[in-house]
């Protein structure tokens, strides 16, 4: 996805049913989030790219120099990539803890899985307004927690800390308001019940 030409990208099917993440993420939120918000980013990305050099570029290359491209590419390209990652790192009957090399890295870097969760939650709650919190793998293969505003992500040249995101949480109000209203902390804490650690680990091991 990241390495395909933008005009060849597809709006991929959600990997589970809208109600699959109940009760942690409700079906109505999932349906609106995927079919309206994410689909909107995808369509607007295609429209913004059409007829420009961007349509023949990959998201990876565009993100690296995103400061040179119009806001429409930044917001909608980020929106498409970020949501694609978000859906893939969640799933029904998930949660728990990672294992293997990712767990070793988390223990080494954060002290324990609980300390990692606490820091990740802090990033998600501290992100003022709309945005994302991330677990990233940096060029030196170390892991870090970051957060970004709007639809920016750690692959973009406009952020403080770059890396490949392997886990992300959407903290835009559209991701939680119907069920949790203003209670972002409840949404963030419910998120742990749907994290697909097998997928996060797979992404981690691909990079190290
Ligand atoms: Mn969203």
């Amino acid at each position: 996805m990241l390495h395909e030409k933008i005009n060849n990208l597809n709006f991929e099917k959600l990997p589970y049913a809208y109600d699959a993440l109940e009760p942690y993420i409700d079906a109505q939120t999932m349906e609106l989030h995927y079919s309206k918000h994410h689909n909107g980013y995808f369509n607007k990305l295609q429209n913004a790219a059409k007829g420009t050099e961007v349509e023949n570029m990959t998201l990876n290359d565009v993100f690296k120099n995103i400061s040179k491209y119009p806001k429409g590419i930044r917001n909608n390209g980020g929106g498409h990539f970020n949501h694609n990652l978000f859906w893939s790192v969640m799933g029904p009957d998930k949660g728990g803890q990672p294992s293997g090399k990712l767990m070793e890295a988390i223990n080494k870097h954060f002290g324990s899985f609980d300390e990692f969760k606490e820091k990740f939650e802090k990033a998600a709650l501290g992100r003022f307004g709309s945005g994302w919190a991330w677990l990233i793998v940096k060029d030196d293969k170390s892991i870090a927690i970051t957060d970004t505003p709007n639809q920016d992500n750690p692959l973009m040249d406009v952020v403080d800390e770059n890396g490949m995101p392997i886990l992300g949480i959407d903290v835009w109000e559209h991701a939680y308001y119907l069920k949790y209203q203003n209670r972002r902390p409840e949404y963030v804490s419910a998120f742990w019940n749907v994290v697909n650690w097998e997928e996060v680990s797979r992404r981690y091991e691909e990079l190290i």
Side-chain angles (χ1 to χ4, degrees):
M1 200 275 258
L2 203 47
H3 301 284
E4 283 168 62
K5 278 164 65 172
I6 286 170
N7 65 2
N8 284 339
L9 293 176
N10 293 311
F11 184 59
E12 287 166 34
K13 215 170 161 264
L14 192 68
Y16 34 78
Y18 291 137
D19 64 358
L21 307 184
E22 291 267 12
Y24 309 108
I25 301 181
D26 61 288
Q28 194 188 7
T29 296
M30 282 301 295
E31 179 166 4
L32 291 168
H33 201 172
Y34 170 77
S35 71
K36 304 292 181 195
H37 294 277
H38 183 189
N39 202 10
Y41 296 124
F42 179 79
N43 292 334
K44 286 178 194 162
L45 169 64
Q46 294 301 337
N47 290 338
K50 207 169 187 170
T52 75
E53 58 170 330
V54 171
E55 69 179 345
N56 291 310
M57 294 175 64
T58 68
L59 279 176
N60 193 56
D61 287 338
V62 171
F63 289 161
K64 273 188 215 160
N65 293 298
I66 200 70
S67 55
K68 293 186 193 147
Y69 294 100
K71 268 277 164 81
I73 299 289
R74 175 169 166 184
N75 292 337
N76 296 299
H80 179 51
F81 172 81
N82 298 349
H83 287 84
N84 217 287
L85 174 74
F86 187 49
W87 310 136
S88 83
V89 295
M90 298 190 293
D93 306 314
K94 300 295 183 189
Q97 298 189 359
S99 56
K101 289 180 179 157
L102 177 58
M103 191 58 152
E104 281 170 33
I106 285 173
N107 284 330
K108 191 177 156 208
H109 192 83
F110 299 103
S112 68
F113 183 60
D114 283 341
E115 282 175 80
F116 155 74
K117 277 169 67 179
E118 202 180 305
K119 289 206 171 92
F120 188 87
E121 290 190 15
K122 208 172 156 194
L125 300 178
R127 169 44 53 197
F128 182 74
S130 298
W132 294 76
W134 308 99
L135 176 63
I136 62 169
V137 180
K138 299 198 281 187
D139 282 350
D140 66 3
K141 318 265 185 216
S142 66
I143 55 175
I145 290 168
T146 68
D147 58 275
T148 54
N150 305 314
Q151 294 298 352
D152 289 354
N153 67 49
L155 294 166
M156 294 180 174
D157 67 350
V158 290
V159 305
D160 299 332
E161 196 164 24
N162 284 110
M164 178 62 75
I166 58 172
L167 175 69
I169 182 171
D170 186 343
V171 295
W172 283 56
E173 283 187 347
H174 69 223
Y176 63 87
Y177 206 84
L178 291 178
K179 183 177 172 79
Y180 297 99
Q181 290 84 50
N182 60 324
R183 303 186 305 277
R184 190 191 287 189
E186 282 181 34
Y187 159 68
V188 171
S189 118
F191 174 68
W192 299 118
N193 295 293
V194 297
V195 174
N196 181 347
W197 285 111
E198 294 84 6
E199 174 62 16
V200 182
S201 291
R202 189 192 66 75
R203 287 171 180 268
Y204 176 67
E205 290 186 19
E206 251 179 26
L207 298 166
I208 57 164

